[in-house]
Amino acid sequence: MRITYGPWGETLAELTGAARAAEEAGAEVVWLPELHRSATVTAAAVAPVLSRAGVGTAVALAFTRSPLTLALEALDLDELTGGRFVLGLGVGARRLNERWHQVTADRPVTRLRETVEIIRAVVAGTPPVVEGETRRADLRGFRRPHRQVRAAIPIYLAAVGPQLTRLAGRIADGWISHELCSPAYVRERVLPNLRQAKAPDHGESADSGEEPGVRARAGAGADVPPDVRVGAGVSPDVRADPGVGFHTGPPDVRVGAGVSPDVRADPGVGFHAEPGVDVVVSGCCAIDADPAEARRQAKGVLGFYASVATYRDFFAFHGLAEEQEAVIEAFRSGTPADGLAAAVPDRMVERLALAGTPAQVAAGIDAYRGLATTIKLTPPVYGRPPEAVRESQARIIALIKELT
């Protein structure tokens, strides 16, 4: 299992410095999120300061840019990184898409699948005529005159619920977890759905609901051959070639059962576990010599996500339904989403975050071995002043150096 990092910075200069420090410590990938900054702009910012680590978006919103724009940004970022870029996409929640970004987010599973198909076709040099169920466009005549580093760029999909997790297992090069993700959830919910994606006639008949995601809270080139059609012939199995300049996994790491090795080539920033995709788990990481203080530092992140009612199934799975309801009630009573730490009991942190002494956090990371191929560590940010987040970040980077 490879250790990667999601850097934080109060400024872009600090963000790029943290990315460089993480690479020097041994992080194999640097991931950039999207909520208060643009994932693709920050990826472009960190690319010039890195020489070895991969650069990925974790995640860029899939519906707020056109598929063509996403493809072009991926191609440019792959050039900036010398073939070390991974496009991580997530749907976000309907409210985030429609109220904040004024874009349509209905039928998210089908829409995301068709988005990925278009991106892959553009990157491959065969921009399609789109006649899908949710995506319709005519890209005939589009010609990109610039030389590209790779003929295919790895695409990872973020998911919490079963429908999008199965989609990731079916069409993506990697799956990315929510910021909170326990080993038990990976073992009992994620891996079975990734494997189920290989079952014949899986289909998308249940594509109607909203997949949990970052939620806005209420009150708070070439002419295309005639047969190139999304939804009617663009194969989802046009996936990334072996990573240029990437470290690959051990030779005994096998591609998932029933998936030909040439279907999912190693995208470089991850090797494939049994389900046939790079399984990237995220770990909110709080390190302190005093375990109680470490748990306190992580509580803001737990409160922020527990305030989202869409995650009820996730928290119930961990035996935390009542605890989540207490957080939701505090939020509804007027506590801001980033100020809910006081409503979070220690047991929520213990089950869902990596919090404790360096040795305890290292043991927590080790618990994902055999379940995930990659772990993404991030500092706790919600409800904490910049100087506190800065200190947490330094401790995580120091631990990465010890572990790698």
Side-chain angles (χ1 to χ4, degrees), residues 46-77:
V46 305
V49 306
L50 304 177
S51 60
R52 175 191 56 80
V55 176
T57 54
V59 291
L61 293 170
F63 305 151
T64 59
R65 303 166 178 84
S66 71
L68 176 59
T69 296
L70 284 167
L72 295 178
E73 289 180 339
L75 285 163
D76 288 341
L77 286 164

Side-chain angles (χ1 to χ4, degrees), residues 166-218:
R166 288 194 291 266
L167 181 70
R170 193 154 54 86
I171 73 167
D173 298 289
W175 167 87
I176 303 174
S177 84
H178 185 271
E179 188 70 9
L180 306 175
C181 187
S182 69
Y185 194 80
V186 176
R187 180 176 55 252
E188 298 178 32
R189 291 291 180 87
V190 175
L191 294 181
N193 277 302
L194 290 175
R195 295 182 185 116
Q196 185 179 342
K198 303 299 179 293
D201 300 322
H202 163 63
E204 295 173 0
S205 59
D207 182 16
S208 59
E210 177 181 298
E211 178 79 0
V214 178
R215 186 169 80 135
R217 295 161 172 80

